[in-house]
Every structure is written in C-alpha cells, then in structure tokens.
Amino acid sequence: MGLKFKTPAKVNLGLHIHGKRRDGFHELETIFQMVSLYDEIELEPLSSGIELECDTPGVPTDDTNLACQAAILLQKFCHIKDRGVGIRLKKKIPFGAGLGGGSGNAAGVLMGLNRLWNLKLKQEKLISLASELGSDVPFFLTSPCALGMGRGEQLTVLKPSSKFQVLLVFPGFPIATSWVFQNLKLKLTKRENNISILRKNIYLSDISALGSQLYNHLEPVVIQRFPEIQVIKNQLQTLGALGVLLSGSGSTVFGIFDNPDKAKVACESLKGDWKRVVTETIGNFSEFCSEEILDYP
Ligand code: C5P
C-alpha cells in the first residue's frame, strides 16, 4: 500500500520581529494562512532506505531536502530498521519563495509515514518532531490559519476569516531565509506591533481592513537588495489589491482581493515576466486532505 496526498502553500499575513535570541533565532509573532496552491506527494513503501524523486530541476533530492529529513527523523525516533520509503514529489510551489513549500512537504511526509509505517504517533509528538525540522513545519500540522510565536513554532489556532483571494507573484529567483534574518536592521525598522489588529480583522472577516494592516518586518531588507519586489508591489496596488505584502522572507509578493474576478483581472494585467497564480484561502483541512491509497503490485 502507498499513499498520495497534497500539501499546501502558506502566506504570512503579518510578521513582527521582537528581537534576536541567544540561540541565533529571532523571537517573532506571525499569522500563517494556508492558500490553495499545492505540491503532490506519493509515498511508496520500500524494504529499506529513503529515496526521493522530484520533477523540478534544482530541487535537491538528497538529505538536504526537508521531505527526506522528515523520513530520516521518523526512522531514527521510532528505531525503524526494516522499512524504507520512496518519496515522489511534484512541485507546484516554487522553492525559496516564502510560501513554506518545503515545510509543508516535510509535515506531509511526517503525517503520511505515521500512517504508512503504522507508527501511531500522536499529533503532539508529530508537532514536536516537526519543530526540529524547521520553524514553519509545525504550522502545517496545526490549522489552516494560526498565530505563530517563539521561532514561529508555538502555535495558536485562529478561526479563519471568510474566504478571500490571494494573488501570488513569484519574481523567479529564490531568497535564502537565513540571509534575510542575518541582514535585518531591527533598529531602523522599529514599528508598532499590529498583529492583534490583524487578528481582529481576520475574526471579523473584514478583508479591506485586513489588507490595510498587512505588515512584514522582513520586507525592507529584502526590497533594499531586490528592488523588483517593490515594482511588483506597486503594480498590485494599482491593480486594486486591498493589501500587498512580501510573504515570509520572500521572494513571493501577494495581493489580497475580496472578489475572484478582480483577482483574475489583476493577474492577467500584471506587466512583467513573473509567474503568478490566483489562489484562495483555505478554511478547513478537509478542502485538500483527501488521501488516496495506492496499491503497488
Ligand atoms: O527554522 P528554519 O530552519 O526554517 O530557519 C531558517 C533560518 O532562518 C535559520 O537558520 C535562522 O537563520 C533564520 N530564522 C531566524 N528566526 C526565526 C526563524 C528563522 O533567525 N524565528
């Protein structure tokens, strides 16, 4: 028996950095929201070893890929010696894009192998293993909309707002998260923490007010190094987005809309050689969590 499932992308509707910690990470507050752009993963049981195949050139298929790391971590934690897995990854979510594609893949592999290898690990255990893999990984096991604190791994479930459209624009180059954090100039970007206002607007499903409050502390350092990000932001604003922001550490810029037709027109009207796609917010895991069971001969 094998498994096939989808893992979604996320955007950060707000990201506030409090400061640098002794362990080198940054203490932050962020609002994660899943959106309807998906990678596809197939898990095929093997008698030993972990093998990864990916359809996208440039995506590492060795142990540096978070999906492999998730499988290795589970094998070690559960002392598994007599089972392996073949992971087939179909990427739609660009990597190095601030959309959490790799983190979502890792969370999916943890969940899928828990089932495939019949490990019966509880959700809390999976979440704690996920936090060893990366700050964003636990979110993908938690809820479609959540507040992240600490490194981003301490999560509070938020009730998602009513659905809205998120137009994702990928400028075509990846950005390394570690580079962005290393180059942060916190003193120069001091700003009031508006995360509680964002939470209120999500709760009220006031998309227009939400749009006016979108904020990402990481944005200035990324725009300074990659001015094209500002060009995309300006165009999205002119095309009627209710709010425009860099997602996470970039490089994706997103605009939010409360009308699918307006989002579609904006998507078609953007002038630039950028990959773009209209997605919508995910309100419930059941929207994408239908797992397919595969029979291998
Ligand atoms: O946790 P993750 O491996 O995704 O983090 C990638 C890099 O981003 C870290 O090595 C660190 O440099 C930076 N980071 C940070 N503070 C966070 C999250 C990430 O400094 N809260």
Side-chain angles (χ1 to χ4, degrees), residues 101-141:
S103 299
N105 296 163
V109 168
L110 287 179
M111 259 194 298
L113 286 181
N114 192 32
R115 180 108 191 264
L116 200 68
W117 288 344
N118 201 21
L119 302 174
K120 299 195 168 72
L121 295 177
K122 295 225 168 74
Q123 184 72 354
E124 304 89 78
K125 189 68 236 173
L126 287 180
I127 288 176
S128 110
L129 289 171
S131 71
E132 291 181 35
L133 293 167
S135 307
D136 290 355
V137 184
F139 163 67
F140 289 94
L141 297 170

Side-chain angles (χ1 to χ4, degrees), residues 24-26 28 134-135 151 177-178 181:
F25 281 90
H26 290 76
L28 54 80
S135 307
R151 282 192 290 135
T177 305
S178 51
F181 276 102

Side-chain angles (χ1 to χ4, degrees), residues 4 60 92 95-96 120 135 165 200 219 223 225 259 283:
K4 192 173 165 183
K92 294 257 171 56
F95 70 97
K120 299 195 168 72
S135 307
Q165 287 66 47
K200 189 177 112 200
E219 204 179 60
I223 289 179
R225 171 72 182 76
N259 174 314

Side-chain angles (χ1 to χ4, degrees), residues 21-256:
R21 314 194 318 192
R22 288 219 176 124
D23 63 3
F25 281 90
H26 290 76
E27 194 69 17
L28 54 80
E29 268 178 84
T30 186
I31 296 180
F32 294 110
Q33 170 66 59
M34 290 182 190
V35 295
S36 60
L37 176 67
Y38 303 101
D39 287 339
E40 234 177 69
I41 297 183
E42 211 177 295
L43 301 178
E44 179 181 356
L46 300 177
S47 52
S48 66
I50 286 157
E51 292 169 17
L52 174 65
E53 272 173 36
C54 180
D55 64 343
T56 308
V59 174
T61 52
D62 58 8
D63 293 1
T64 58
N65 191 302
L66 271 185
C68 283
Q69 287 177 21
I72 293 167
L73 185 65
L74 264 191
Q75 262 188 338
K76 278 201 187 130
F77 182 76
C78 298
H79 308 287
I80 292 172
K81 303 234 157 47
D82 57 348
R83 274 165 293 173
V85 67
I87 306 170
R88 268 188 287 279
L89 187 55
K90 277 196 187 153
K91 293 292 292 176
K92 294 257 171 56
I93 307 169
F95 70 97
L99 297 172
S103 299
N105 296 163
V109 168
L110 287 179
M111 259 194 298
L113 286 181
N114 192 32
R115 180 108 191 264
L116 200 68
W117 288 344
N118 201 21
L119 302 174
K120 299 195 168 72
L121 295 177
K122 295 225 168 74
Q123 184 72 354
E124 304 89 78
K125 189 68 236 173
L126 287 180
I127 288 176
S128 110
L129 289 171
S131 71
E132 291 181 35
L133 293 167
S135 307
D136 290 355
V137 184
F139 163 67
F140 289 94
L141 297 170
T142 305
S143 135
C145 183
L147 170 72
M149 295 178 77
R151 282 192 290 135
E153 90 289 16
Q154 294 165 19
L155 294 156
T156 306
V157 171
L158 300 179
K159 185 175 95 53
S161 72
S162 58
K163 272 192 192 301
F164 58 90
Q165 287 66 47
V166 182
L167 169 50
L168 304 175
V169 185
F170 176 60
F173 51 83
I175 298 179
T177 305
S178 51
W179 178 87
V180 177
F181 276 102
Q182 271 160 25
N183 286 279
L184 256 185
K185 293 177 188 69
L186 281 174
K187 286 201 186 93
L188 299 181
T189 55
K190 271 248 175 290
R191 193 192 138 126
E192 226 174 286
N193 182 358
N194 67 345
I195 295 287
S196 58
I197 304 173
L198 284 165
R199 278 181 74 168
K200 189 177 112 200
N201 293 326
I202 290 170
Y203 180 75
L204 296 173
S205 286
D206 187 340
I207 310 308
S208 176
L210 178 68
S212 71
Q213 290 291 329
L214 298 181
Y215 180 70
N216 181 352
H217 233 138
L218 301 176
E219 204 179 60
V221 61
V222 175
I223 289 179
Q224 196 177 36
R225 171 72 182 76
F226 303 100
E228 202 174 340
I229 302 284
Q230 186 64 54
V231 177
I232 301 173
K233 283 193 75 176
N234 294 347
Q235 281 203 34
L236 283 169
Q237 246 140 17
T238 310
L239 291 165
L242 297 170
V244 176
L245 196 70
L246 180 78
S247 183
S249 54
S251 56
T252 300
V253 178
F254 65 94
I256 69 173

